[in-house]
Amino acid sequence: MQRTRPLPASRRHGNGPCVRPTPAVFWMLLLVCAMGLSSMAQAASPTVRIHAAQAVVSDGASFPTDKPAPLVDLPDDWSLSRPGSAGPVWYRVSFTAPGLRESGELLALYIEHVCTNLEVYLNGQLLQRGGRMEEPITQNCNHPQLVSLPAALVAPGLNSLDIKVVGHALDSVSSRHRAGGLSALEIGPIAALEPRFAQQTALNVAVPQAVSATLLLMGSFMFVLGWMNRRESHLAYFGALSVGWAIVESRLWLRNLPFDNAVAEFLLCAMLPLLTLACVQFLMRYAQHRSRLLDIALPLQCLVMPATLVLAGPERLYPVASFWYALLALQTLAAAVYYLRTQYRARKRSFWPMALLLCIATVALFIEYASQKLGVRTLWTHMAQIATPVMMVLVGLRLLQQQGKALQVAEESNAQLEQRIREATAEIERNFTQLAELRVEKVTERERKRIAADLHDDLGAKLLTIVHTSESERISTLAREALEEMRLSVRGLTGKPVQLIDALGDWRAEVVSRLGQAGIEADWTAPTDDLPQTLSARAFVQTTRILREAVSNVIKHSGATHCSLSCELTDGDLQIIVRDNGNGIPMELDGRLDRGHGMASMKHRAKQLQGQCLVESGPGYGTVIRLTLPLTRAIEAA
């Protein structure tokens, strides 16, 4: 593909109002040369880059052929080539594409930057319109353009490519990057231009949109967090800063605004003192410093700056806004220096991370300011525009990390405090319970002694009289048994703990005696060594009654001739097994063992001692009663 110029080269340096290269262009070339990879990629690209075009100011429906159309350099910055002009401007370039139809290759036009909107015509046919071409004009300053050139419209000879650009004069915008202008053009295969278009779109639009969305979500959360906790007011200010920045970047999402450029630029400028207020107050509050002067001056500044913009008028917006930009930047820089100085003096661990982030943000703002003054747009300019919000995201993450650690420490402290309160409460309850138990125990012990004395003195004396004076042997025997039960009950009421070895001896004597009197051979097995364990009086009485009931069942119901009893200590439990060779429990009573008074009372007494009593039996196989008592609980049982 070959590019041809419609006018001879002599006109560039002759009569036309063409603009010569400026120092800003050389600075831009130096920056571009410093980017080796980008330069190599452009050199290897099979495209043609166009750096000059015919240009004429006209609002006609097509390129005006009746007016002089001098050549201008591309990129064409209207603030330099035609100061004060707001366009529209028509641009025309000519090119040839030999062999295009035979190759079947699709051509495209790539425009890296156009401000604010454009229409593209190929040989008089409209190819693309970027949106509204009259107020309110569609804002495409940050959006690169890729326009396909249909092969059916490409002539085999010379082709005319016309571009109509509408924009705004520099004085009516607050940033040079939003002033009217057109970048260099590039024509080539669409397959070669699409990667560059996608990369530039991501750099100019997608990444800033993602970062601004992150700032909006994170800032909203932190604003609510700081608002709810007034002691962490720096979080609220940082949240307001993040949300405000996201609102400023909303122009990347909203290209078609419902109001004209003057209103849009005024609202954008009015947001800047609010952002400065949030940034300065964040740094001051984060440094744990509060100034009454700043609390008054910063809100007042938010009213003064819009007032100066209104007084200056939309035609002098850029110089007034530039003055305020510099002043607001100095305020932010001073607050950052103050914050870093206080952090360094306090030797806080957060100094170096915050210093690095703030320095990167400062350098990014300086590059952005320099590019505004020099009127250049390079990769560094785009990176600087992204760097500041990215640094804000990192600062926000740092604040959230610190807040999370503080919350974790607070939760751990609360947990420790709650644990101590629970321990203290448990100790108080335990002491109160012990005091109450001691008081109840004293009253109970006194009452027990009174009841035991009454039983022993009154009932015991009467039973003893019956034993010695009754002429009936049966009555005398029943009275003697009742007297033994009464003595056992009195012992349970007033008796002291019993040594386990003594309890085993008493049980052996009673059991062997009763079985022998009934004509049943008895076999007793128990430990003979000294046993240090003791039983409470109640545990001794309840166990004695369980053994009595078991022996009574053997004597009365089993029909046994032999009964063995074994006592052993296993894992802190006292286990007593009563085994006979009797008839066992009949089948008709199977499953109804607990309904009898004797079996039920044995199990109930064992349960009161936190133990269990199991009965195993079968017709013709005898009966086995297993009594298991937790010895420690039996010792402690009241």
Side-chain angles (χ1 to χ4, degrees):
M1 181 180 64
Q2 298 178 349
R3 175 170 59 89
T4 61
R5 295 182 177 179
L7 296 177
S10 60
R11 288 195 58 179
R12 278 187 81 180
H13 307 287
N15 301 325
C18 180
V19 179
R20 298 179 181 274
T22 62
V25 176
F26 294 106
W27 281 107
M28 181 182 69
L29 293 176
L30 290 175
L31 290 174
V32 172
C33 291
M35 300 165 52
L37 293 178
S38 177
S39 299
M40 292 174 59
Q42 292 180 11
S45 177
T47 61
V48 175
R49 194 169 179 86
I50 301 175
H51 292 278
Q54 290 179 277
V56 57
V57 178
S58 173
D59 196 16
S62 61
F63 186 87
T65 58
D66 56 344
K67 294 184 179 181
L71 283 178
V72 296
D73 293 324
L74 297 179
D76 181 22
D77 187 351
W78 292 3
S79 63
L80 300 177
S81 60
R82 50 187 61 81
S85 174
V89 177
W90 280 91
Y91 296 89
R92 168 171 285 185
V93 296
S94 301
F95 68 95
T96 59
L100 176 63
R101 296 181 183 275
E102 292 75 10
S103 64
E105 197 170 25
L106 181 63
L107 295 181
L109 169 67
Y110 174 65
I111 305 174
E112 182 176 327
H113 173 73
V114 61
C115 203
T116 295
N117 197 15
L118 82 168
E119 290 178 347
V120 179
Y121 296 82
L122 177 60
N123 296 326
Q125 296 294 321
L126 177 65
L127 297 183
Q128 178 170 319
R129 175 175 293 160
R132 292 196 300 258
M133 298 290 288
E134 53 198 22
E135 289 290 353
I137 304 173
T138 300
Q139 303 291 325
N140 282 317
C141 292
N142 292 288
H143 294 259
Q145 305 291 324
L146 182 65
V147 183
S148 61
L149 305 179
L153 297 180
V154 178
L158 192 65
N159 294 272
S160 296
L161 189 65
D162 298 334
I163 302 173
K164 182 181 181 180
V165 177
V166 292
H168 306 288
L170 177 62
D171 288 341
S172 63
V173 294
S174 59
S175 171
R176 182 180 291 273
H177 294 326
R178 290 193 296 277
L182 179 67
S183 67
L185 308 179
E186 194 166 355
I187 299 178
I190 192 170
L193 294 174
E194 276 183 338
R196 292 191 56 196
F197 172 74
Q199 177 184 3
Q200 198 67 27
T201 302
L203 190 63
N204 286 11
V205 181
V207 174
Q209 283 180 343
V211 174
S212 63
T214 303
L215 285 176
L216 180 63
L217 294 176
M218 182 179 65
S220 301
F221 171 75
M222 297 186 69
F223 181 81
V224 174
L225 188 63
W227 182 267
M228 296 177 62
N229 186 5
R230 296 303 179 89
R231 291 178 299 180
E232 304 291 338
S233 59
H234 65 282
L235 297 178
Y237 281 110
F238 184 82
L241 174 62
S242 301
V243 173
W245 192 282
I247 294 175
V248 171
E249 293 295 319
S250 63
R251 64 180 184 272
L252 297 175
W253 306 78
L254 304 174
R255 289 190 283 175
N256 293 302
L257 298 176
F259 34 77
D260 59 16
N261 176 72
V263 177
E265 292 293 333
F266 175 80
L267 294 177
L268 180 63
C269 292
M271 284 292 298
L272 296 180
L274 296 174
L275 295 181
T276 304
L277 181 150
C279 183
V280 172
Q281 290 287 40
F282 159 67
L283 293 171
M284 293 294 101
R285 300 295 176 88
Y286 197 30
Q288 298 181 353
H289 175 76
R290 182 165 184 172
S291 171
R292 184 169 180 81
L293 178 61
L294 290 178
D295 293 343
I296 298 175
L298 290 176
L300 183 61
Q301 180 176 252
C302 296
L303 300 176
V304 173
M305 178 182 178
T308 59
L309 296 177
V310 172
L311 293 176
E315 296 78 10
R316 291 186 295 275
L317 179 65
Y318 180 74
V320 178
S322 299
F323 167 77
W324 278 107
Y325 285 169
L327 181 60
L328 297 178
L330 289 176
Q331 294 175 13
T332 305
L333 181 62
V337 171
Y338 178 84
Y339 165 77
L340 292 177
R341 187 183 67 175
T342 56
Q343 294 294 99
Y344 182 77
R345 288 181 176 179
R347 298 187 180 275
K348 293 188 176 181
R349 298 174 59 184
S350 61
F351 169 77
W352 291 111
M354 289 294 295
L356 178 61
L357 296 177
L358 290 177
C359 287
I360 294 176
T362 303
V363 171
L365 290 175
F366 176 77
I367 293 176
E368 170 71 11
Y369 182 78
S371 66
Q372 291 262 358
K373 288 300 182 182
L374 297 176
V376 296
R377 291 178 64 89
T378 64
L379 179 61
W380 293 106
T381 304
H382 298 302
M383 296 300 294
Q385 291 174 344
I386 298 175
T388 301
V390 169
M391 292 304 105
M392 291 174 60
V393 171
L394 295 179
V395 172
L397 294 177
R398 174 69 178 174
L399 293 175
L400 290 177
Q401 180 188 21
Q402 292 178 345
Q403 195 69 14
K405 288 183 178 180
L407 182 60
Q408 181 180 3
V409 172
E411 290 179 350
E412 292 177 354
S413 300
N414 289 337
Q416 294 176 358
L417 181 60
E418 289 177 358
Q419 180 64 25
R420 292 178 182 176
I421 291 175
R422 283 195 297 267
E423 292 176 355
T425 303
E427 182 68 22
I428 293 172
E429 291 178 352
R430 194 161 46 246
N431 293 337
F432 181 79
T433 302
Q434 290 177 354
L435 291 174
E437 289 177 352
L438 289 175
R439 188 176 304 166
V440 171
E441 185 176 351
K442 288 181 179 179
V443 175
T444 304
E445 183 68 22
R446 187 163 57 248
E447 190 64 19
R448 284 177 178 176
K449 289 181 178 180
R450 185 188 65 78
I451 295 173
D454 293 343
L455 289 174
H456 184 272
D457 296 341
D458 298 337
L459 185 58
K462 293 177 181 179
L463 289 174
L464 186 60
T465 301
I466 294 173
V467 169
H468 292 291
T469 60
S470 176
E471 296 178 357
S472 173
E473 183 65 24
R474 176 175 175 75
I475 294 176
S476 179
T477 301
L478 291 176
R480 186 178 294 106
E481 291 178 356
L483 182 60
E484 288 297 326
E485 285 293 333
M486 185 272 294
R487 288 176 178 174
L488 186 61
S489 298
V490 171
R491 185 172 184 179
L493 290 172
T494 61
K496 296 180 180 180
V498 181
Q499 290 290 329
L500 181 58
I501 190 65
D502 296 334
L504 293 175
D506 292 344
W507 294 336
R508 179 179 183 280
E510 181 177 344
V511 168
V512 172
S513 174
R514 291 186 63 193
L515 291 173
Q517 291 176 3
I520 300 174
E521 182 182 357
D523 185 9
W524 176 272
T525 304
T528 57
D529 299 334
D530 291 338
L531 300 175
Q533 293 88 346
T534 60
L535 292 176
S536 66
R538 181 169 177 248
F540 172 75
V541 170
Q542 297 287 26
T543 306
T544 301
R545 286 176 174 164
I546 293 173
L547 286 176
R548 284 182 181 177
E549 183 64 30
V551 171
S552 297
N553 288 338
V554 173
I555 294 173
K556 296 178 182 179
H557 307 295
S558 68
T561 60
H562 180 271
C563 180
S564 64
L565 294 95
S566 62
C567 302
E568 58 183 14
L569 296 176
T570 305
D571 297 331
D573 294 341
L574 173 63
Q575 191 174 54
I576 302 176
I577 301 175
V578 181
R579 190 190 313 268
D580 66 64
N581 63 349
N583 299 324
I585 299 174
M587 290 294 294
E588 59 269 17
L589 296 178
D590 187 23
R592 296 185 293 167
L593 295 178
D594 293 343
R595 296 184 182 181
H597 179 70
M599 290 294 184
S601 65
M602 291 168 60
K603 293 188 176 184
H604 180 67
R605 295 179 191 278
K607 187 176 182 180
Q608 286 182 337
L609 298 177
Q610 305 298 319
Q612 64 178 355
C613 181
L614 301 178
V615 179
E616 303 172 5
S617 179
Y621 294 96
T623 302
V624 178
I625 298 176
R626 300 179 185 272
L627 174 63
T628 303
L629 300 177
L631 194 56
T632 54
R633 296 183 180 178
I635 293 173
E636 298 172 355

